[in-house]
Amino acid sequence: MKQILLAALLFVSSIFPAAAQEYYDIDVDLPQYPEMQPIPDSPVYYAPAVDSNYFFYDGMYWDYYNDRWYASPWYNGPWSYVDPIYIPTYVLWVPISYYHRHPGYWRGWNTNGPPHWSQHWGGDWQARHNDYYRGSPRGNARAPLPDYQRTYSRSNYPRAVQQQNTLHSQHYGYRPQERVVQQHYDQRGITQGQPQVQQRTTTANPASRGDSRERR
């Protein structure tokens, strides 16, 4: 019986890699929608004025806080924890210079390159991450920003998750390309938009899509 239960839990975790049913408040508390800028040669955006390791990619905001990754479809959360295995490769490829808060163990690393994730999380993480992303598209469009959220500041920000999901479904027609983001949307009950033709960006080393080994 225990073996059956364990198998069922493993099956569920394989379908839902991101624990989207638990929500967190982290280091992000913004008074209004942040100004986002594209990172050159990347489909990822960053927020120059936000004092956090804060990014936007494929229809989700991503924040690296206390050695854990969190994601949200809304700029000020609430946030869902994402296991490092499922963090999109393009997010992991962001150079250290775009992170505003550097952990101590990054000291001495080249800020023009990404953090040494495989050195930090180990070979097992590397193998499982690459296996999860094997066969993913080798190029990716830069997703549009959810500009409709500019109308919401701290005074009228919708904190109720169900309200956020409804507004996002109504006003953001983009359909995510990454499986982990699609699963976040599904778990939250967000209706995914129709496929859109968008301007593609040139990403460094696109032939290595799905392989998160550090680029030198």
Side-chain angles (χ1 to χ4, degrees):
M1 183 65 181
K2 290 183 178 179
Q3 290 180 334
I4 295 175
L5 179 59
L6 178 59
L9 289 173
L10 290 173
F11 176 72
V12 170
S13 66
S14 68
I15 298 176
F16 302 119
Q21 283 132 349
E22 295 184 24
Y23 301 102
Y24 301 85
D25 287 324
I26 55 174
D27 62 335
V28 177
D29 183 19
L30 306 179
Q32 59 190 10
Y33 187 86
E35 292 302 318
M36 308 294 296
Q37 296 292 329
I39 295 174
D41 300 320
S42 170
V44 181
Y45 294 82
Y46 79 110
V50 175
D51 184 24
S52 181
N53 302 319
Y54 185 89
F55 308 102
F56 180 84
Y57 169 68
D58 199 40
M60 295 279 283
Y61 299 89
W62 304 84
D63 192 84
Y64 179 64
Y65 173 63
N66 277 354
D67 203 33
R68 290 162 64 96
W69 279 100
Y70 297 87
S72 175
W74 276 76
Y75 74 87
N76 224 11
W79 301 83
S80 302
Y81 168 71
V82 184
D83 189 293
I85 291 170
Y86 308 107
I87 300 300
T89 305
Y90 285 121
V91 174
L92 297 179
W93 277 354
V94 171
I96 291 175
S97 58
Y98 292 96
Y99 288 75
H100 291 172
R101 297 184 181 181
H102 297 179
Y105 70 88
W106 290 10
R107 189 173 294 110
W109 291 355
N110 178 13
T111 59
N112 293 321
H116 301 181
W117 299 117
S118 62
Q119 176 181 321
H120 178 57
W121 286 324
D124 180 66
W125 166 82
Q126 183 74 72
R128 294 177 65 190
H129 181 275
N130 291 345
D131 184 65
Y132 180 78
Y133 281 98
R134 185 169 290 114
S136 296
R138 294 192 175 185
N140 207 351
R142 180 176 289 151
L145 292 168
D147 286 334
Y148 77 93
Q149 294 180 12
R150 293 181 183 276
T151 61
Y152 298 94
S153 63
R154 184 176 287 157
S155 62
N156 66 345
Y157 189 83
R159 282 289 172 184
V161 171
Q162 186 56 52
Q163 183 184 8
Q164 289 186 351
N165 297 344
T166 299
L167 290 169
H168 204 71
S169 299
Q170 292 174 344
H171 300 291
Y172 190 63
Y174 174 76
R175 173 177 289 180
Q177 304 300 304
E178 299 281 8
R179 280 186 295 163
V180 66
V181 180
Q182 294 169 359
Q183 289 165 342
H184 264 286
Y185 273 42
D186 289 343
Q187 289 165 3
R188 286 188 58 140
I190 296 173
T191 301
Q192 299 181 29
Q194 297 300 314
Q196 299 180 6
V197 177
Q198 299 179 49
Q199 182 179 359
R200 291 192 174 273
T201 60
T202 302
T203 58
N205 197 14
S208 297
R209 178 70 175 105
D211 188 339
S212 59
R213 287 173 291 187
E214 289 84 27
R215 297 174 296 159
R216 297 291 189 262

